[in-house]
């Protein structure tokens, strides 16, 4: 797991580089993913390869409203193209509504009621969007895990961070940053889409 100090140094390096280039009249625009917590398949996977998967509602520690719902739909979208049977989100919602999803026993009951042998849990750890005349950026950090419904054991887990930034001190950069502020939700969707795509790529394919 990446430490807070390592993460802080990385962001500080990005800012210093941005300031240096911007002072020379350059406009910086970039996006990237940090899959430092790339998918981890546990020893339990071999004994339980998923057949029917239900994606439960995600939780959120983030400040942006409804980001957990959006992240869940994005993850379910990318999961649906893998060779597993997935329970429709609306069907899962009917069964999970009002339930205590932090309880393992409750999650197992939901999974069995849906006829799923595997459930997916997710949490938005960080989501942020900031704008200033000289800069615009957004970031999202997700953690997602799969559980065996029968045993409650975790069989797969992934964490991913996606962020985008534009920076510049010249007038053209100000206009560009202003434009990115107007479409920040579109940019934020892209970050969520990137993170979920990267995580689902680490899920082993069914044989």
């Amino acid at each position: 797991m990446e430490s807070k100090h390592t993460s802080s140094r990385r962001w500080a390096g990005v800012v210093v580089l941005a300031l240096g280039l911007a002072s020379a009249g350059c406009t910086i625009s970039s996006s990237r993913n940090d899959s430092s917590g790339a998918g981890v398949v546990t020893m339990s996977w071999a004994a339980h390869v998923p057949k029917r998967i239900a994606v439960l509602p995600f939780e959120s520690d983030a400040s942006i409203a409804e980001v957990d719902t959006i992240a869940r739909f994005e993850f379910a979208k990318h999961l649906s193209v893998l060779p597993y049977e997935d329970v429709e989100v609306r069907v899962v919602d009917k069964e999970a509504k009002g339930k205590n999803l932090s309880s393992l026993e409750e999650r197992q009951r939901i999974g069995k009621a849906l006829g799923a042998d595997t459930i997916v849990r997710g949490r938005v750890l960080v989501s942020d969007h900031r704008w200033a005349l000289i800069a615009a950026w957004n970031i999202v950090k997700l953690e997602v895990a799969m559980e065996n419904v029968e045993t409650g054991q975790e069989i797969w887990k992934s964490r991913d961070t996606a962020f985008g930034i534009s920076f510049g001190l010249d007038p053209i950069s100000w206009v560009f940053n202003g434009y990115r502020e107007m479409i920040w939700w579109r940019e934020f969707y892209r970050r969520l889409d990137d993170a979920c795509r990267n995580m689902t790529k680490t899920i082993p394919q069914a044989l």
Side-chain angles (χ1 to χ4, degrees), residues 81-115:
V81 303
L82 298 183
Y84 300 103
E85 180 183 359
D86 57 291
V87 184
E88 290 187 40
V89 169
R90 61 180 182 83
V91 175
V92 177
D93 284 343
K94 290 180 180 179
E95 189 62 40
K97 186 176 181 180
K99 304 293 176 59
N100 177 19
L101 300 182
S102 62
S103 165
L104 172 60
E105 292 75 15
E106 192 71 83
R107 295 196 300 272
Q108 289 176 302
R109 280 194 288 270
I110 293 171
K112 290 176 181 178
L114 294 168

Side-chain angles (χ1 to χ4, degrees), residues 113-124:
L114 294 168
D117 64 340
T118 306
I119 57 174
V120 171
R121 302 175 61 201
R123 178 178 290 275
V124 181

Side-chain angles (χ1 to χ4, degrees), residues 19-179:
L19 286 170
L21 293 177
S23 64
C26 299
T27 301
I28 300 169
S29 178
S30 67
S31 62
R32 62 161 293 186
N33 281 73
D34 175 13
S35 301
S36 56
V40 176
V41 180
T42 72
M43 295 295 290
S44 302
W45 181 277
H48 178 79
V49 177
K51 294 181 176 62
R52 182 174 167 86
I53 303 174
V55 181
L56 300 183
F58 282 15
E59 299 175 291
S60 177
D61 297 329
S63 57
I64 298 178
E66 299 184 2
V67 66
D68 49 340
T69 300
I70 300 168
R72 178 198 182 199
F73 273 95
E74 287 296 313
F75 187 87
K77 178 184 72 176
H78 289 290
L79 180 67
S80 68
V81 303
L82 298 183
Y84 300 103
E85 180 183 359
D86 57 291
V87 184
E88 290 187 40
V89 169
R90 61 180 182 83
V91 175
V92 177
D93 284 343
K94 290 180 180 179
E95 189 62 40
K97 186 176 181 180
K99 304 293 176 59
N100 177 19
L101 300 182
S102 62
S103 165
L104 172 60
E105 292 75 15
E106 192 71 83
R107 295 196 300 272
Q108 289 176 302
R109 280 194 288 270
I110 293 171
K112 290 176 181 178
L114 294 168
D117 64 340
T118 306
I119 57 174
V120 171
R121 302 175 61 201
R123 178 178 290 275
V124 181
L125 302 173
V126 176
S127 69
D128 198 11
H129 157 75
R130 300 293 176 91
W131 176 85
L133 187 62
I134 62 173
W137 68 91
N138 49 64
I139 181 172
V140 62
K141 186 172 186 177
L142 307 176
E143 184 175 72
V144 181
M146 284 185 178
E147 292 177 349
N148 180 336
V149 169
E150 188 62 35
T151 66
Q153 290 182 312
E154 200 170 85
I155 63 172
W156 170 88
K157 187 173 186 178
S158 181
R159 178 179 290 192
D160 196 275
T161 302
F163 63 88
I165 182 172
S166 63
F167 193 102
L169 296 179
D170 57 288
I172 294 177
S173 298
W174 301 346
V175 174
F176 184 66
N177 292 335
Y179 172 72

